[in-house]
């Protein structure tokens, strides 16, 4: 190896300090923005010049230099799944697919059949991890705010152009499927992890908005029959947020006529009922003559 290259790749005080920050950070993967944020932290924490930094703020050259040193020292490596989109911190134990995806992409969350499985609502195992993110404009705005929190006044820098994360077809050996939607709803972070997931109420709402991503409407009806009474308040709160009157009619029919459940707010949804040939309980099936006069939808399941 070239001697000059060896010298540039020796562990410096700054790179050793960065190694400590990476281990303290405790996450097995970092995006380039996350990594640069920690480099900025080094510069901010070195007022006594003990790290021998030559300037007050880091640049892209410092990013590449420190990354190269840590790769050469076996501290980090390019992530095997996300490639240049993420660094793998080798001293930190790896984590499951859904956690890696949520760490790398702050705009996404576990949804639909994968969320149903997580909440214990289904005994089906999804063929792929189902992730959702908001529509492009909303997701970019969310990503911009996330970067601002990490980079401060650097958030609008051209060093790392703003773009949405493209997830590989497989992450940690599991297939991943991304769904971008204007119907992205409420989420929470699972305690003790970095996994974001649709709330239980939102998960029930998603079953009515996209039943095809939740095992199909017959399976959705099975799930509602088994669990809707337990989560009735959460379901009603989530359905209230739906912009679609048809979704409210589906929820009203299932709760009142199919399951015999009631809630004082359900009657408000009847105002959204209207006749129409496209108003079906199952959007994937043909219109059927069996009909709910109250909820004005074809019972085609």
């Amino acid at each position: 190896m070239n001697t000059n290259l060896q010298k540039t790749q020796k562990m410096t005080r700054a790179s050793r300090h960065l190694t400590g920050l990476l281990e303290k950070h405790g996450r097995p993967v970092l995006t380039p923005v996350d990594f640069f944020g920690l480099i900025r932290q080094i510069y901010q924490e070195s007022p006594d010049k003990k790290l021998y930094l030559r300037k007050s703020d880091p640049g892209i050259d410092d990013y590449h230099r420190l990354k190269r040193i840590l790769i050469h020292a076996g501290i980090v490596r390019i992530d095997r799944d996300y490639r240049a989109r993420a660094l793998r911190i080798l001293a930190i134990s790896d984590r499951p697919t859904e956690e890696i995806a949520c760490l790398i992409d702050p705009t996404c969350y576990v949804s639909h059949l994968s969320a149903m499985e997580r909440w214990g609502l289904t005994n089906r195992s999804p063929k792929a991890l189902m992730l959702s993110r908001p529509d492009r404009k909303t997701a970019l705005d969310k990503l911009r705010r996330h970067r601002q929190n990490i980079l401060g006044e650097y958030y609008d820098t051209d060093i790392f152009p703003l773009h949405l994360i493209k997830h590989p077809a497989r992450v940690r050996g599991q297939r991943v499927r991304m769904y971008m939607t204007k119907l992205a709803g409420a989420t929470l972070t699972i305690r003790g992890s970095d996994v974001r997931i649709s709330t239980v109420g939102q998960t029930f709402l998603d079953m009515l908005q996209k039943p095809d991503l939740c095992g199909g409407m017959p399976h959705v009806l099975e799930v509602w029959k088994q669990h809707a009474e337990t989560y009735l308040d959460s379901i009603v709160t989530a359905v209230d947020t739906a912009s679609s009157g048809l979704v409210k009619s589906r929820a009203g029919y299932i709760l009142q006529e199919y399951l015999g459940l009631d809630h004082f707010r359900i009657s408000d949804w009847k105002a959204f009922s209207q006749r129409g040939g496209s108003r079906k309980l199952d959007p994937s099936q043909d219109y059927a003559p069996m009909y709910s006069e109250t909820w004005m939808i074809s019972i085609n399941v």
Side-chain angles (χ1 to χ4, degrees):
M1 180 180 290
N2 182 282
T3 304
N4 290 331
L5 184 58
Q6 283 183 320
K7 289 181 179 179
T8 61
Q9 292 182 331
K10 285 183 178 179
M11 288 292 283
T12 62
R13 292 192 181 191
S15 61
R16 285 195 292 270
H17 189 63
L18 179 57
T19 299
L21 288 180
L22 290 171
E23 295 177 356
K24 184 179 180 181
H25 198 253
R27 292 176 174 174
V29 289
L30 292 177
T31 66
V33 171
D34 295 327
F35 190 69
F36 189 66
L38 290 181
I39 293 173
R40 285 199 66 230
Q41 188 174 333
I42 289 177
Y43 280 71
Q44 294 168 343
E45 291 178 348
S46 184
D48 54 4
K49 307 300 181 185
K50 287 184 179 179
L51 299 182
Y52 300 126
L53 302 173
R54 299 176 182 177
K55 49 190 176 181
S56 58
D57 291 304
I60 191 64
D61 55 331
D62 301 294
Y63 165 83
H64 286 301
R65 176 175 53 81
L66 286 166
K67 183 176 77 169
R68 185 172 60 248
I69 289 172
L70 294 192
I71 289 176
H72 180 73
I75 306 299
V76 306
R77 63 173 164 82
I78 303 300
D79 188 78
R80 69 176 188 268
D81 296 323
Y82 284 90
R83 308 306 300 163
R85 289 160 284 180
L87 286 172
R88 173 77 174 90
I89 315 307
L90 298 178
I92 309 299
S93 298
D94 208 2
R95 298 188 192 174
T97 303
E98 61 266 31
E99 195 154 3
I100 295 298
C102 287
L103 281 171
I104 290 175
D105 182 359
T107 73
C108 76
Y109 59 93
V110 177
S111 64
H112 299 92
L113 193 60
S114 294
M116 293 164 64
E117 182 185 41
R118 269 286 197 160
W119 284 111
L121 301 175
T122 180
N123 57 7
R124 296 190 181 185
S125 297
K127 293 181 180 179
L129 173 66
M130 189 70 215
L131 299 173
S132 289
R133 68 157 58 113
D135 61 274
R136 182 174 180 80
K137 181 180 182 301
T138 304
L140 284 172
D141 287 343
K142 185 172 185 177
L143 186 59
R144 187 176 290 108
R145 291 193 300 271
H146 173 78
R147 288 185 168 208
Q148 185 175 5
N149 289 337
I150 294 174
L151 301 181
E153 68 271 20
Y154 275 73
Y155 83 96
D156 58 353
T157 182
D158 292 331
I159 291 178
F160 302 108
L162 188 71
H163 60 81
L164 297 178
I165 292 291
K166 182 179 180 181
H167 294 269
R170 288 184 178 272
V171 175
R172 302 308 188 257
Q174 184 177 0
R175 288 174 54 199
V176 171
R177 182 180 178 186
M178 174 60 73
Y179 176 61
M180 183 175 286
T181 174
K182 292 183 178 180
L183 303 176
T187 66
L188 56 80
T189 301
I190 295 176
R191 183 178 299 177
S193 78
D194 289 286
V195 177
R196 292 178 299 278
I197 186 172
S198 55
T199 64
V200 69
Q202 181 65 41
T203 302
F204 274 93
L205 175 57
D206 286 340
M207 294 184 217
L208 304 183
Q209 295 180 142
K210 292 294 291 183
D212 58 311
L213 299 181
C214 299
M217 185 57 80
H219 182 56
V220 167
L221 290 177
E222 292 175 359
V223 171
W224 282 59
K225 187 175 182 178
Q226 294 175 11
H227 301 286
E229 185 173 9
T230 301
Y231 296 107
L232 184 59
D233 286 340
S234 296
I235 293 171
V236 171
T237 298
V239 172
D240 273 341
T241 69
S243 58
S244 168
L246 176 54
V247 167
K248 288 181 166 68
S249 292
R250 286 175 183 157
Y253 165 76
I254 294 173
L255 291 174
Q256 280 195 335
E257 296 189 17
Y258 181 69
L259 298 178
L261 300 175
D262 206 0
H263 190 285
F264 71 94
R265 283 152 63 184
I266 294 178
S267 59
D268 295 340
W269 303 341
K270 295 176 182 177
F272 296 91
S273 298
Q274 57 183 347
R275 295 189 181 278
S278 63
R279 292 177 58 82
K280 302 176 292 185
L281 182 60
D282 187 346
S284 69
Q285 300 299 317
D286 293 335
Y287 188 89
M290 186 178 296
Y291 195 80
S292 169
E293 291 292 340
T294 301
W295 297 102
M296 297 185 186
I297 56 172
S298 169
I299 311 306
N300 63 340
V301 180

